[in-house]
Amino acid sequence: MNVLAIDTSNQVLGVAVSKDGEVRAEYTANIKRNHSVGLMPAIDHVMQETETTPDQLDRIVVAKGPGSYTGVRIGLATAKTMAWTLNIPIMAISSLELLAHNVRQQNVLISPFFDARRGLVYTGLYESNYDRIHVKKEDQNILMEQWLDELQSYKKPVLFLSQDIKQHQGIIKDKLAKSAIFPPEIDHLPRPGQLALLGAQRNEDKLHELTPNYIRLVEAEAKWLKEQEQNG
């Protein structure tokens, strides 16, 4: 199976091609810029490097969020357009779950997160057991301080993963002390190659029902709905 993976859900832009369960090419750029500029050249690059033509693709897999509203839309729109044009299946995976798969330790709790501003984070709780990542708490938008209070109740070490780790590391250490585990810096970046491998193993999504996983409303949408309620 030839798989093209796309991740523009956060600051990192990632594209990869896997063939028959083996990652053949992987491109990652951790730069603050508009992904709409870099995505197509990155796709073209990995396709050329692997000598893969669009008609040889069997599946598209995409990170569906949470994360940057603009980034999630760019990746999902591109993936859906390609899947529709090529008439091939599409599969979407949580951006937080993808990050959790960077963990190789066994029997450990994993808290991947992305900063959501104003003290909030997008996060979920995962557990690594028997070479598999299991969801313990669904992805959510929550105050980091509240989330850390919840994690304390597990009374187990928690491994934290995030491109925004430095921004929140202080409060994590204050709350969880020695129970907080911080892996090497390289592990805080999602791997598009891993996304390709995961997507090859999952059941396909229905193309026209596939939507971004924003978790919360865009601020402008939330403000508009509140105004409508007040005027009603």
Side-chain angles (χ1 to χ4, degrees):
M1 178 185 288
N2 297 334
V3 180
L4 173 67
I6 297 170
D7 182 9
T8 61
S9 57
N10 286 277
Q11 177 172 303
V12 174
L13 184 156
V15 179
V17 168
S18 70
K19 296 189 176 186
D20 298 325
E22 180 180 326
V23 178
R24 296 296 181 87
E26 185 177 49
Y27 173 87
T28 300
N30 184 23
I31 303 170
K32 287 186 178 180
R33 65 178 181 184
N34 190 336
H35 290 326
S36 63
V37 175
L39 179 55
M40 292 311 298
I43 291 174
D44 183 62
H45 174 69
V46 296
M47 294 283 282
Q48 287 194 36
E49 285 292 302
T50 57
E51 298 182 344
T52 306
T53 57
D55 62 289
Q56 293 175 324
L57 291 174
D58 298 302
R59 172 173 289 198
I60 306 287
V61 57
V62 60
K64 65 178 179 180
S68 159
Y69 294 121
T70 302
V72 171
R73 285 198 300 271
I74 290 169
L76 203 59
T78 301
K80 290 180 70 173
T81 300
M82 291 185 68
W84 170 257
T85 303
L86 298 171
N87 192 28
I88 58 176
I90 186 171
M91 173 64 204
I93 291 176
S94 160
S95 303
L96 289 166
E97 181 187 350
L98 171 61
L99 190 54
H101 275 85
N102 280 358
V103 175
R104 295 292 175 263
Q105 294 96 317
Q106 293 296 304
N107 302 313
V108 62
L109 293 178
I110 308 164
S111 177
F113 70 87
F114 305 123
D115 182 68
R117 294 183 297 180
R118 300 176 183 173
L120 293 161
V121 291
Y122 298 115
T123 190
L125 188 62
Y126 297 80
E127 187 170 21
S128 175
N129 276 324
Y130 306 107
D131 296 321
R132 292 178 62 103
I133 300 294
H134 304 273
V135 180
K136 286 189 69 73
K137 295 199 73 171
E138 295 292 334
D139 296 350
Q140 57 191 286
N141 182 228
I142 188 172
L143 286 168
M144 175 57 99
E145 189 168 356
Q146 181 184 341
W147 178 244
L148 295 174
D149 288 338
E150 290 187 21
L151 294 180
Q152 282 181 317
S153 66
Y154 286 90
K155 301 186 184 303
K156 292 179 65 176
V158 182
L159 191 152
F160 290 88
L161 292 168
S162 179
Q163 64 186 29
D164 307 307
I165 194 69
K166 294 178 181 178
Q167 187 174 341
H168 295 270
Q169 196 163 1
I171 188 174
I172 294 172
K173 287 181 177 179
D174 290 342
K175 284 279 188 178
L176 298 185
K178 293 183 179 180
S179 293
I181 304 172
F182 303 101
E185 188 172 344
I186 188 65
D187 291 336
H188 294 279
L189 301 181
R191 296 289 302 274
Q194 181 67 66
L195 180 61
L197 298 179
L198 288 173
Q201 301 168 6
R202 307 288 179 89
N203 294 328
E204 65 183 87
D205 289 298
K206 294 182 179 179
L207 177 66
H208 298 297
E209 296 179 11
L210 187 56
T211 56
N213 181 24
Y214 293 135
I215 295 184
R216 68 177 182 182
L217 292 174
V218 179
E219 188 172 349
E221 293 176 331
K223 183 178 180 181
W224 182 85
L225 287 173
K226 184 176 181 179
E227 291 175 349
Q228 298 310 302
E229 290 176 359
Q230 292 174 344
N231 294 335

